[in-house]
Every structure is written in structure tokens, then in C-alpha cells.
Amino acid sequence: MMNEDGKNRNGEAVTDGGSGSEPETALATARRQLERAASHADVDDGVVARLKHPTRVQQVSVPLRRDDGSLDVFTGFRAQHDDVRGPYKGGLRYHPEVTADECIGLSMWMTWKCAVMDLPFGGGKGGVAVDPKTLSDEERERLTRRFAEEIRNVVGPKKDVPAPDMGTGPQEMAWFMDAYSMQQGETTPGVVTGKPPVIGGSYGREEAPGRSVAIVTREAVDFYDWDIEDTTVAVQGFGSVGANAARLLDEWGAKVVAVSDVDGAIYDPDGLDTQDVEGHDERPGMVSGYDAPESLSNEELLELDVDVLIPAP
Amino acid sequence: MMNEDGKNRNGEAVTDGGSGSEPETALATARRQLERAASHADVDDGVVARLKHPTRVQQVSVPLRRDDGSLDVFTGFRAQHDDVRGPYKGGLRYHPEVTADECIGLSMWMTWKCAVMDLPFGGGKGGVAVDPKTLSDEERERLTRRFAEEIRNVVGPKKDVPAPDMGTGPQEMAWFMDAYSMQQGETTPGVVTGKPPVIGGSYGREEAPGRSVAIVTREAVDFYDWDIEDTTVAVQGFGSVGANAARLLDEWGAKVVAVSDVDGAIYDPDGLDTQDVEGHDERPGMVSGYDAPESLSNEELLELDVDVLIPAP
Amino acid sequence: MMNEDGKNRNGEAVTDGGSGSEPETALATARRQLERAASHADVDDGVVARLKHPTRVQQVSVPLRRDDGSLDVFTGFRAQHDDVRGPYKGGLRYHPEVTADECIGLSMWMTWKCAVMDLPFGGGKGGVAVDPKTLSDEERERLTRRFAEEIRNVVGPKKDVPAPDMGTGPQEMAWFMDAYSMQQGETTPGVVTGKPPVIGGSYGREEAPGRSVAIVTREAVDFYDWDIEDTTVAVQGFGSVGANAARLLDEWGAKVVAVSDVDGAIYDPDGLDTQDVEGHDERPGMVSGYDAPESLSNEELLELDVDVLIPAP
Amino acid sequence: MMNEDGKNRNGEAVTDGGSGSEPETALATARRQLERAASHADVDDGVVARLKHPTRVQQVSVPLRRDDGSLDVFTGFRAQHDDVRGPYKGGLRYHPEVTADECIGLSMWMTWKCAVMDLPFGGGKGGVAVDPKTLSDEERERLTRRFAEEIRNVVGPKKDVPAPDMGTGPQEMAWFMDAYSMQQGETTPGVVTGKPPVIGGSYGREEAPGRSVAIVTREAVDFYDWDIEDTTVAVQGFGSVGANAARLLDEWGAKVVAVSDVDGAIYDPDGLDTQDVEGHDERPGMVSGYDAPESLSNEELLELDVDVLIPAP
Amino acid sequence: MMNEDGKNRNGEAVTDGGSGSEPETALATARRQLERAASHADVDDGVVARLKHPTRVQQVSVPLRRDDGSLDVFTGFRAQHDDVRGPYKGGLRYHPEVTADECIGLSMWMTWKCAVMDLPFGGGKGGVAVDPKTLSDEERERLTRRFAEEIRNVVGPKKDVPAPDMGTGPQEMAWFMDAYSMQQGETTPGVVTGKPPVIGGSYGREEAPGRSVAIVTREAVDFYDWDIEDTTVAVQGFGSVGANAARLLDEWGAKVVAVSDVDGAIYDPDGLDTQDVEGHDERPGMVSGYDAPESLSNEELLELDVDVLIPAP
Amino acid sequence: MMNEDGKNRNGEAVTDGGSGSEPETALATARRQLERAASHADVDDGVVARLKHPTRVQQVSVPLRRDDGSLDVFTGFRAQHDDVRGPYKGGLRYHPEVTADECIGLSMWMTWKCAVMDLPFGGGKGGVAVDPKTLSDEERERLTRRFAEEIRNVVGPKKDVPAPDMGTGPQEMAWFMDAYSMQQGETTPGVVTGKPPVIGGSYGREEAPGRSVAIVTREAVDFYDWDIEDTTVAVQGFGSVGANAARLLDEWGAKVVAVSDVDGAIYDPDGLDTQDVEGHDERPGMVSGYDAPESLSNEELLELDVDVLIPAP
């Protein structure tokens, strides 16, 4: 399953070609997709040529004073693909493999996503080539603030609005917004989305992916003219996405018969009380340890005879 | 001989390593030089780490409507290495091989050059990956204006001041300045150097490299306690650099006994009248065709028994 | 009938005096109206004196490279009457007779209109003295973009917000917005209204004038305590205004018995199916050619015994 | 004699055509001159077409609270002809006959003047249609400050730099600069020239016109290979221009034999002591009242047998 | 009762300590309260240290040309306590005793108030040390406009948004907004709240304090499970706060049995018709002069046996 | 002796009144001096009233993370007295006793000083109430950078240009300039004077006070028609001021017969070789320890029979 940032659960950029040894880059994939789509549509060649390139990529060096006093220099990027439909929009990721080409490819996908949903934004994407797990909290704060200062000339509420992405979250957005606001000399919440609600973030953002899965499921049930009350559901993975989807479908009447975490699955043919099962993010280990009528292996869950299987590993 | 833009006469980036098949990039060379220099000086490791990276590289797409109505998209760059000593400064080159890494390496050299001369500037360098010989004048103008618009947010009289470089000249600077000024809404001559004097450029810029060679020569003559009147000079190449150097030394009393162009050399043991010999840039073919006492091959010129040999091919 | 831009259907500025040979200018009319109104109200003389003049008129030259390579220079204007109640607001017209005085007069009317409706805007109006029918699409685009660049210093979302007017439409607003946004360096949809919905324009704008006519009619029917079901309506002209008004009234229950275009009228005492009649803008000639119970001359329509006559020629 | 602002001593715009009843406007004259000049040069038609129009004219209303409490509204202008060579430059005049067309015409002449002298400025000109003699000092200050506020968006040190002109002087420039600076929030002396030296104006500005006349005279004397010591000079008018010219030529050795004011002339065949004669501006009536060897009528002065006659009425 | 600006009805800053001769300043009180609150919470010492100081206080001189031509100079302040949660927000007061310390203390309270209500603003407060009763309307306008110009660099819709406070009202806000907008060159209603609705102010602002009292009362009645229809209310003071509260409670069903003004109280055990009693602000003297069943002294009103007593003197 | 910052050698603000117990503040002194001066001149009362107050004082809190991890908050100030003659100019001092009133008084003196020297600047002064000797180098850097960020909205090359003062020096100016430049996004050397020459500071600044003393001495010698070769000089104190003054006078021909440091004086009736005596700042203790013909006590130096006595303790 691909989440909104165009990556699977392991944080790898997803490509639909590339059977060879060297995986295709996100940029190559995005360009190949564009060409294929353009071949089906009546689009000016110049427009396609233009869309194969980003408007701008800003690469910056981000010096970080480590807690031990030494200085490391990381490289950050912000790719901006196209702003014809509105300001650039897209995540900032912290991952050792971040490159300019990856950011460009992902920013192209953001352009398509915004256009498909008719949102008045264009595609952007950025990040820092760093493994955030090797940083202390203080180092992550210093890195984020310095990165914000270095790219501040290309972002802004009407220019380019970053969001959390792989390796970043509300806390990074809060630091980013504060560093940007100090530079601007005025509080500017609109420079990022995904910040904590207490400083102006939107409620419901965290639950949104799971909610989307639940809504899509309900629409499919309607499409096939099934009765939601008679629909059985199994959910692989009970993190933020899986738990939110399961609980909403449960609330809407569906029978969630099985859920799992890394250690195994639980099963109740009459439907589990999904509110009672603590999610993996809430308390690790509580899913498979839940007192359910039956236990299953993770493989068995995937082979259950259910109407809907939600893979959210 | 390396000119101010860190390239030899053939426009190749000069490196001092790289005997293998794959030539070392300008960036790799610049970093290697930095490390070697740092090992001789007492510099903080953090400072060296920081100086191995540019502050910022902005990569942009430059769409160009060709004269035949088709649209090509070129990639442009502006690397900014370090501005601790003042605004960034460095050329913009048009060459098919321009890359981000080349611009970064060249911008590092610009930092060192400005620092060595105690000029209040830091190092920058940029360009577009395009072969300017394939562009009509109108295409070069449109490309330059669009490139200026795309990088205008990172340049400016107090931020970063481009200059002509390989493949660009006063005309490109004039277009660049005009496009930038229109965007700013006010005439801004300070955004580039190397523009034509009629719109605010400095007189003497074109003669400057030859003048520098002449001055260095004079200083060397003084250093060795020679008498300039008795000094004999041979000049390989009689283009802008060679001709200006030869004429100044002639004016200061030196005896310029031989000069050459690609077709051969001329020789007069009593000194040539350098003002009378038309330079290669002024009228190609007139050097070797000049009515001088003797003709030499280019190889013979290099082996003349003179006090000073100026290689300016 | 006068539309929102203070012109009749022929695009002539409407004045309510002027029986002599030389028609009164829009400015003279607007001032005369102001004085007459002021004589009925208790207003400070200084305020009246101030309101007789615009705050500012910016006149610009707009060079246009014609498709044949020649260069024409057109004159453009933007008059801004009064911004005490909010940013200036008003159309941009392309018409050969556009003058500074006409723009000033029309901008004064925009001030009154906004104030009467209690909208937080002041009055503006502008345009270019050019016959748009003599321009190719490419020329209109170049002219509009250059005009936008020339007046960009006096417009903006919080300063002055142009709109389509005589000779301009959504396409011109799209070009204007894009040229302005490129100069600002950020997407600025708020600089114009009347742009296409796909780049942020409002839905329903095109239907708004006809909808207003229908609403006013309904209010009048209510005022006279008539029953809308028993009300008969004749509509002169079936363009955007007439057709939208007729269809809405039809939808609300009124009996639209006759509509016309330049070639004649159609009549059905039981009410026409207004959705079925194609409007003049949709397919010219289809109104009078519609298969209706009766045909009328345009004069006969005006003399029909109906409750409501809507003149929308 | 025409002074730098393109007007003769009576403040009338000077035209070189116009024998009919209706005098030719400054704009018509300037355009006619341009066409005549262009016919002698190889200039692109598009360039000529462009130069016949100003880039921009900003017209503003300037409300003035009179000392008696009433409110008058005056109209002000700023015409900007061409800024290809640098920021606009030109005077601000207070005169009842100021019009947009006059300002445009005068601004065109400023473009030519700056270009001829190779100054990095383009042509501008502006003013207010008001008779400054009808204003109290306080009213002139309020008018000037408000005018500055109304045109501040089109002027500035790098945009357009006003100067004193007919009906304005250093005091108006001081008010203008102060009003502009308060709006900008920082002291900006560069927004006007011709301000008093105490706030940053240049010394020698007032004497400049007379100095120019003297220098031109000296050059002419050299051109004809005369000896300045033997050159006799008569000066019609002994105001700022005439007195400064006379005194400088006297200082350089010429024999100034006659000077005049409105009441008559004085004559000394051996040369007058020009430092001793008080100028008309310094003490009116002291020229013709000076104790000189001979008195002449103004007509007689013009017919004196001298080498140089300087008409500076 | 303390109103929203932290002052009692006599306009004295309210403190909760200070039994000695010298009253405690608002700043000292606010700091003491902060320390007490911090002792009950788990807050970092550094945060408390930081919150004891304002981010910034700007003190300005405000020269005022008096109506008699003389010049007085008043001192104005704007204290900004903390903007972590959003732009600064708080009133501007005109009172002879305004000091920097008072503004700081009051701005701290504004921080707490905004945080408690979860409003995205931080605390600000300012004012001018002047007795507004000694100023003519024209002087108040000139003073307000000049004050706005002097503090414009620290206020703005996203920086700091003033509001009316002791000694100021909608008119002052209108002048402030206009002066600020003229400086900015664009209409900026968002720079102040509390301006008149005609220029963008919110409806209902004046009634808000009384409405709040009524709402709190209703919530209390609900809390005690009383029936609002059986609840008796006495209101001390029938100005803006008291009258609005009484009329709303009356409308919601409560029985308002007594109201008063400075001259005495009126009483009706069956409930007064509060809409019929003109408020003290509407027509002074009409409360105690109202034709009610009974008259009471002000003391008697306070001792009435009612369910709710609203002290709004 | 008072140096340019209006303080004597002990860093106390100098007042010329104050015999009572409570010393007069700098502000009170400056106002008293202004009144006394105004009583001798024909100045408008309004101007005097205005000059008794600063245009603006910005007070800020400067949080400092101490090296031990704790947080202290210091108070900083910037007073700006009058900018009619140009941008504000004046020092930033670090001293525990810095107050708003002291800064105001000192800024008034800066206005007078600039005006007396006809420099195009107005008076400013600021600082932080902190004892710099209690700060580590890192703490001083963090404090200075944060202070710069907090007052950046009121300083700038054309607004207000700080300089070193008591407790600050070139290093603080370098930090200040760098912090300001980072906020502005471009290198801005003009925001401070007194920075190290390597980043754009002026050469000769340190020697300037001593040079001034020498020049004033030479002028006095000329005034009295003495011969500089015959003039004897004694210098009390041989720090930066005394040593530079002594060496220049020596160079110009005067006979410097005695110099001193805290430990005593040295004397040579034939004139000391002032270049040979190391200054107190260069090597403490070397003055009185110098091998001179005679030693004197400090008191004896002050009583020497010399033409010029320079007190520079």
C-alpha cells in the first residue's frame, strides 16, 4: 500500500518498472509515467517537455553542531515541480537516501495528486539526507531550524508549503515554523501544514490516512451493493492507519473479525470490539496479546475468508 | 595558462590530479586542494568540513521557445559557496557540460581567489547546460532573460553578483541585468559585472587579463633587478591577453621580439612595433602575415633565447 | 439596460445628459451626478471636492510586437477613485475609445456601486485603447501580459483588484494573474476576479447578471403580491443575461411566453421550455429558428401583453 | 536662452514650431524633433515608435486644506519617459498650466539631455497644476508633502529622482525628501537632488548654470584661438546665471565691459569689477544703480561691439 | 468587576496585593501571580524566567501641534509580552498614568487571557500618557495618527493587533487604521480590532461584555439546576454591560426585578420590562426616573433577596 | 577627559551638575544643557520641546542560555533621539547600569556631536544591562546575536548604525553584523561601524582618538604661533589614546618629555623616543619600567613645566 507521500511502509520510493539490478529512480519512473499518460491525451509536446523538469531545486548545506561539539554538514533539498495551479505543496523527509532526483520525482507526483483532487496547489518535495535515528532531540531541533533558515527564501504560505513526511512529524513542523517566523519577524503558521494543533495545526490530520481507507472501503461496499452490516473485514497491521480504518468501519456497522500486529493476529468470527483493542502505536504488543476468542498467525489472517482485507502493515 | 574563470583556453575545467580514465570533477579537485591546504594550517575541523560544501546550489529549468516554434528545456545552476567575506561573486557559463558539481567546485575556487586578493566577496558560479553555438541571437536572449528570472531570488547587488564566463559576454550580462531590473521594478546595474560600459559597465575590463600579465611580468623584472629596457619578451598567442600584455610591456620599454598566432610566429631581434601588429581578435591571420624581419614556427618561438616567455595561447 | 460595467450592450459609456453634438464624457456625467446627489445630502464641501477627483490615474505605454514583427505602442490606463472603504475594484476594458477621463468617470461609479451594496471596496477602472478584434490570440496575450507588468505597482489583492470588462474576459484575467504572479515570485490569485475557475475563479460568475435580473424580477413580483405561477414574462434578447434570467424564472414557476434574438422572436402563450431553446451565445440563430407555436417580429414582442418585460438586447 | 528645464525665462515651454494660433504642445514638439532626428539616423522603427511614448505617467489628486479651512484639490503628474539608461531624472514644477502632455514632452527632452551627456539616467518630469504664488508657505509645505506621499510609489533613489524646476526650489525638495523618508521609515536623501546642502544637497548647484555658460564661453574662445585676456564680454541680465558667468569669466581674465538688469546697463571699456556689482538676486536695482563710468540703455548693450554677448535675461 | 482590559470601572489597574502606601505596579502583580502559578505547575525555570519579561517594549515620543499652535510632546508605549501562540493582541489606552511597566504588566495578562481561551494570539498592550479629556477632537485625531505612524514598525495584522481600551474607542481605531494604511500604501483593516463596522469592524463588539455576563449567568443557573423562568435577578448599574446582560436574561426568561443607576434603583417583583427602560448610556437619568412599581435606594438593591445579583456599576 | 562615548575613563556617565547625594541622570543633564543652550539661541519652543524627547526607545528582553544550561534574561535598549539630519548613529554598551534614561541622554549628546561636526547622522545609543566580565566568550556571542535579532527592526544602514562602546568592541560588532545579515539574507556590512577591517571595518579607527588629540594639540600650537619643534609635551597615561597622541606629536617634531602609566612616569628633558616605549595596552608595566633618564611620580608629571599637558588616564 502506498501512503500519501508515495512510499510504501518501508519508506522505499515505489516504482512500477525496474526489474533489473539497479532500481529505477523516482524521477525516471515519474517521467516514464508522464510520457505514457501523455501518449493517451492530446497535449502539446512543449507542455510535456516542460513537465518533465522541475521549476527549481534548491540544494543547501546544513551544518550541525553535534552534542559532542563536532560539526557535521548534511545536504538538504527542496524540489518545486510546477506552480501553475497554486503554491508548491509537499513533504520534507529525513532519510539517508534523500537525493535531488528523488525529490524531483516525488514532487512530480505531488503535482498530479493535487491536480487529480482539484486542489489549488502544485507539487513540491524536499528533505535532508540524514538518518534521524542517529540524532538526539536537540540535534534534530538544531538541524531542522537551520534547514528552515537555509530554504526560507523559496518557501512561504503563498510560495511553497512543506508538510511532514518520512522521518519528520508535527514536532519538526513546529520547529520549522518557529525558525521561519523568527526570520520573517512575524508569526507565520501558514508556512507549513502538519504542525501541532496548539500552534495552529488542523485537528484530524493524524487519523486522516486511516479514515481515507475506511471511506474508500465503504464506497466499494456500496459499489458492489453489499450491506455493510454483513461485511466481514480483516486488517493486517493495527498501527495508526489500520486501527483508525478498523474502528471507523466497526462504527459504521462492518464486522471486523481479525486484526494483527508484528507478533500475530487475533480473531473473533462475531466481530472484535475494535475500540477495546489498543493499537500498536498506543501500546506495542497489546494487539496479539489481546484476550480474543482465537489467535492466528499473520499468514493465516491473510488467508481468512473475509469480504474485505485491508493490508496496512 | 588558466584565466580568471578557472579554465584553460579550450574551456576545459582544469584539474591537477586525474591521470586515470575518468577525469576528476572540479568539485573533487577543489576539495582535495582544500584538504591539502588545511593540513598545512591550524584550522578548526568544523571550518574545513563546512568549506567542503556550498551554502546553496539552485538548479532551475529554463524553457526556451525555439525559433521554429518548438520548446526545449535546459537546466541552469547557481552555486554559492561561502559569503562570510561578502556577497557571492563569479561567472555564468553556457556550455553543454555544465553540472551542479562543476559549479560547486568552481565556486569554491572563487572563494579562495577573492580571499587571496582581500576582495570583500565570496565564491559563486553558475551556468546553463547548453551549447551557445546552437542558439540564434534571439534564442540566446530569450534563454538568458528566462534564466535571470528563474534565479533572481538568489542574486542581487548585495547577495550574488554574476559575471561573464565561458560562452557568455557583455551582451548576456546586459540581457540579464535588464530582465532582473524589470522584475525588481528599478534599474539595478549592480546585479552583474562585465556588462557593456554604456549601461554602467567598467571601462578596461576586457584589457584587464593582459594588463595583469604585463604587471606581473614587470614586478618579476623588478624582483630580479633587471632593467626593463634590456628585457626581451616572446609572446605565444596574440589574442586579447597576449596582445594587451605585449603592447603594455612594449610601452614600458621592454623589447618584444616575437609574437605568434595559430599560423606561426614573427620575429624581430630589435623589437617589434606591437601597436602596428593587429591582434588575432582584431583581424585573424594578420599576426603571422605581418611583414616582420623573420618568420618562425610556433615551436621555434617557444625555444627562443629570451628573458621572458609569455604563453597566452 | 446598463450592465455592471456602466455600459450598454453596444459598449458605449452611458450618460444621462448630452443632447448636444458633443457627447458628455463619463467623467462629466459622474461629476454632475455627484453634485446633484450632494445637494440633497448634508455633506462637507471638502468631501465633495475630493470625490470629484480620482486618487490616482496611472497611464502606461504598452509596446506590442505584432505577429508580423512590427512594433505598435498602445496606451493603457488604471484610474483609482477612492479607497476609503477598501481596495479599489473595477474592470479592465479593451476598446479603441478608452481614455483617462472615461476610466475616471467609470471608477467613480464603481465607488458608488460598492458603497451602495456595502462591499468593502472602492472604485477603480482601467483599460487599453485598442480594438481587441484586430489582435490575434498571441497578440492579445502579449499585450495583456505587458500591460499587467506595467501597472503591477498599483494593483494587488489589498490594493486594486481588476476584473473583466468590455473586450476582456476570463482568459485575459488568467494572463494578467500569471504575469503578475511571475513578477511577484508567488502565485497570487487574489489580484483579479473573473478568472477561470480552474485557477481559482468563482463558479457562477458568468450567470450572475442574468441571475440578478431574475432575482430582482421575483422580488418585484412579491412586492406586488402577484403569484409567480401566474406571471407571464417576455424576454428581449436571449444571450447570457436574457437566457439565464428566463431559465431561472421558468424554473421558479413563471411563464416565459416569448424570447427573441436579432432575427426575430418566438411565442408560446402556454410558456416556452426555456431549457430547450439554445441561447444566442450557445448557438447563434437557434432562438428565432426554434420550433415554437408562433413567430413574432422583435417589435411585436415588445408590445406583448405580459406582466414582465425584460429588455436584455 | 533655454535653461536646463526646457523653459525660457518666462516659464513658457519652448517650442520651435507653432506659428499658428494654437501653440504646439511640448509633447508634439518633442515627437516632431524625434522624428526629424530619426530620419537622419539608422534606427529601428520600433525603437522610434517606443520613444514617442512615455513608459508611464502617474496622475494624482492632491487635496490641500487651505489656511482658511476650506479644501482645494489640485492635480499632480509624474511622467517617466525611458529608463533604459538608468533611473528617471527630472524636475517637479508648480505652475497653473502643468498638464500630462507637457510633462511627457519635457520628460522626453530629459532623456535626450541625459543621453547626450552620457549620464546614467533616463528622462522624467512632473509637477502640480497650481500657481505657487497663491499659496502660503504652510500651504506649499502641505501641498508638497501630500504630493510626495501620492507619487512615492513611482519615485526613489534607484527609480526616479525629482529635482527643483519652475516654481519649486530647495525648500520643496527638503519637504519632499522628508515626507518620502517618513513613509519609507528611513532617511533617504537620494530621492531628490537640489535639496539644501545641510540635509545632503550638493554644494555649487545654484551656481552651476552660470558656471556652465562661462565654461562654454571659454571653450569657444579657445576654439577660435582667441586670447581670453583680450576678449570683451557683455552680459544681458545679472541674475544668478548672468552674474555667475560674468564673475567667472572676469576671474579667468576676460574683460566684462557691460552688464544690465531690467532698469538699464552699465559700461566700462576697461572692464567692470564684477565682484563689486551686486547681482539682481542679491539686491535688486543695484546693477543699473552701480557707479560705473557709463550708463547704457538695455538696447545699447545688445549692440555693443564686443567679442562675446551673453543673453541671460 | 474587572472588564476585559484588566481595569475596574474607575480605570485603575487592579492589583491583588498592595496594602501599603505605595500601590503595587501591574508588572509586579503580574510577576507575583506568575510565580505563584508556576509553583503549582511543572514548568521549566527558564520558561518562567522568560515569561517574567516582555519580548519588547517600544517607547515613542508623539509630538502634538495643539489647536493654539503650541507643541506638546507626549510619550507612547507598546509592550509585547509573548508571541509563541500567535501575534500580539491588546488594547491601546489614553490615560495620564500610562507607563512602560503598566503596559508590560497588562500585556502579560493578555497572554494568559488568550491562552486560557485558546485564542491564537499573544499578549500586547500600549497607550499614550495623556488625559484624552484635555484634547479637542482634532487633537485626538492628530495624536492618534502620529502615534500610529511612530509604532507602525511593530504592529500589523500578523505582528500585533491593537484594540480600543481605556480612553480610546472605535474612532481612535479608525484613525489608527487609516494612518497605518496610508503608510503601507494599501488598505489594511486587519491592523486593529474594535473599528467601526462601516470600515470593517465586527458587529456585536459593543454588546459583547454584557452578553458574556448573561451567558455566564445562564451557565451558572444550569449548573445549579435552577429553572431560568423562576430565577430572579437584580442588576446594579444599567450602562452598556448591565443593560445588555439584563435584557438578554429577560429575553431568555429570567425575571429581572431590579436595576439601578447612580441616582437610585427601580423594583418590580413581577419583573421589569427591560427593553422599555432606557439605559444610562442611552439617556442618563431615565433608569431611576422610570415609572416602576417601587423605588429603592442603591443600597437596598444590593440587599434584595434575589437569586442572582449582577454588579455592573 | 571625556571620550566620544560621553563617559570618563571609569565608565561613568559624566554630568556637570549633581552635587547632591543622588547623581543626576544622563537624560536630566542632557535636557538641562539643551535648555541652557536654547536660552542663548533663537529657537522655536516647539523644536526645543521636541528635542527633549527621543523619537523612539526600543526595550527588549534578551534570553541567554548560560554555559551551565540555565537561562538568564537580560534587558537591552536602543534609544534613537533625532534623525532629521540622517540615520541614527551611536554605540552599544554592555554595563550593569544601562537604563533607558541613560541611553536617551547619551543619544541626545550623539545628536549634538554629529551636528557640530556636520556629519549626516542623528543621535542613537543603546546597550544591554549586563556585566560583560561575567560572561564567557560563547555567552557574549549568544547574547550579542540574540540582541541583534531583537533590535533588527529598528537598525540598518539607512536607519540606525550602532558602534562599539563601553564593554563592547570589534568582536561584538562582527557578531552583530553577522546575525543581522543572516536575518536579512544578504551581507550587510553597513549596519555597524567599528567592525574588524577583515569584514569591512575601517582602518585607523583604533588610533583615531589619539590622533584627534594630537591634531587638536597641533592646531592649538599653531593658534598660539608657537613652533612645534620647540614645544614640550607631557602625557599622563600611555594607553591607546595617550600613546598614539604622543607618537604623532613626536613625529611632527614636538618634544615629548614625559609619559606615565599607573605605576609612575618617565622623563627625558631632550624628548623620549616614543616609538621605543611600549604602550600600556601593548605590554603593561613597560612604561614606568622603561630605561629613561629620569623617573617621576605621577604627581610630579602633572606639575612639570611643559607647554602642553595631555591628561589621558
Side-chain angles (χ1 to χ4, degrees), chain C residues 235-246:
Chain C
V235 180
Q236 180 198 27
F238 207 67
S240 169
V241 177
N244 277 299

Side-chain angles (χ1 to χ4, degrees), chain A residues 48-60:
Chain A
V48 178
R50 170 62 191 78
L51 287 175
K52 288 168 89 168
H53 298 84
T55 300
R56 181 187 294 119
V57 184
Q58 181 151 302
Q59 173 185 332
V60 297

Side-chain angles (χ1 to χ4, degrees), chain E residues 134-151:
Chain E
T134 64
L135 303 175
S136 69
D137 282 0
E138 289 70 25
E139 289 172 338
R140 270 193 311 131
E141 175 172 357
R142 288 198 295 272
L143 182 83
T144 303
R145 286 181 176 278
R146 181 61 181 257
F147 182 44
E149 289 168 11
E150 296 296 337
I151 67 169

Side-chain angles (χ1 to χ4, degrees), chain C residues 147-305:
Chain C
F147 181 45
E149 289 168 11
E150 295 296 338
I151 67 168
R152 72 157 158 150
N153 63 321
V154 294
V155 298
K158 295 193 336 191
K159 279 188 184 165
D160 185 354
V161 183
D165 202 295
M166 186 165 46
T168 60
Q171 179 60 73
E172 280 76 14
M173 294 303 105
W175 289 326
F176 192 101
M177 167 190 155
D178 190 54
Y180 181 86
S181 295
M182 283 186 68
Q183 297 262 2
Q184 292 299 106
E186 58 186 33
T187 309
T188 312
V191 73
V192 288
T193 56
K195 53 195 170 294
V198 71
I199 55 166
S202 303
Y203 289 96
R205 191 186 196 280
E206 194 186 334
E207 301 78 13
R211 176 180 298 271
S212 301
V213 169
I215 290 170
V216 167
T217 302
R218 190 182 57 188
E219 295 296 308
V221 167
D222 284 356
F223 179 79
Y224 289 114
D225 262 336
W226 299 346
D227 185 338
I228 186 97
E229 304 282 341
D230 301 332
T231 303
T232 54
V233 179
V235 180
Q236 180 198 27
F238 207 67
S240 169
V241 177
N244 277 299
R247 287 168 183 164
L248 268 171
L249 288 168
D250 187 2
E251 187 182 324
W252 295 338
K255 199 176 294 177
V256 179
V257 296
V259 305
S260 67
D261 65 8
V262 287
D263 298 322
I266 54 175
Y267 178 66
D268 183 341
D270 295 330
L272 295 155
D273 178 352
T274 55
Q275 294 296 340
D276 197 49
V277 185
E278 285 181 278
H280 186 72
D281 296 352
E282 292 147 9
R283 193 126 61 108
M286 292 309 285
V287 176
S288 48
Y290 183 77
D291 180 25
E294 284 183 53
S295 286
L296 302 176
S297 74
N298 281 335
E299 287 70 29
E300 286 169 327
L301 179 141
L302 294 175
E303 292 165 3
L304 278 178
D305 178 17

Side-chain angles (χ1 to χ4, degrees), chain C residues 44 46-47 49-50 53-61 63 65 71 73 75 100 104 146 149-150 153-154, chain D residues 44 46-47 49-50 53-61 63 65 71 73 75 100 104 146 149-150 153-154:
Chain C
D44 182 82
V47 169
R50 171 64 192 77
H53 299 83
T55 300
R56 182 186 293 118
V57 185
Q58 180 150 304
Q59 173 185 333
V60 297
S61 296
R65 183 66 65 187
L71 188 103
V73 181
T75 300
I104 297 172
R146 182 60 181 258
E149 289 168 11
E150 295 296 338
N153 63 321
V154 294
Chain D
D44 182 82
V47 170
R50 170 63 192 77
H53 298 83
T55 300
R56 182 186 294 119
V57 185
Q58 179 149 303
Q59 173 186 331
V60 296
S61 295
R65 182 67 64 186
L71 187 102
V73 181
T75 301
I104 297 171
R146 182 62 181 256
E149 288 168 12
E150 296 295 338
N153 62 323
V154 294

Side-chain angles (χ1 to χ4, degrees), chain E residues 28-39:
Chain E
T29 307
R31 283 183 174 157
R32 194 160 43 74
Q33 293 170 336
L34 171 63
E35 280 167 6
R36 197 169 51 192
S39 71

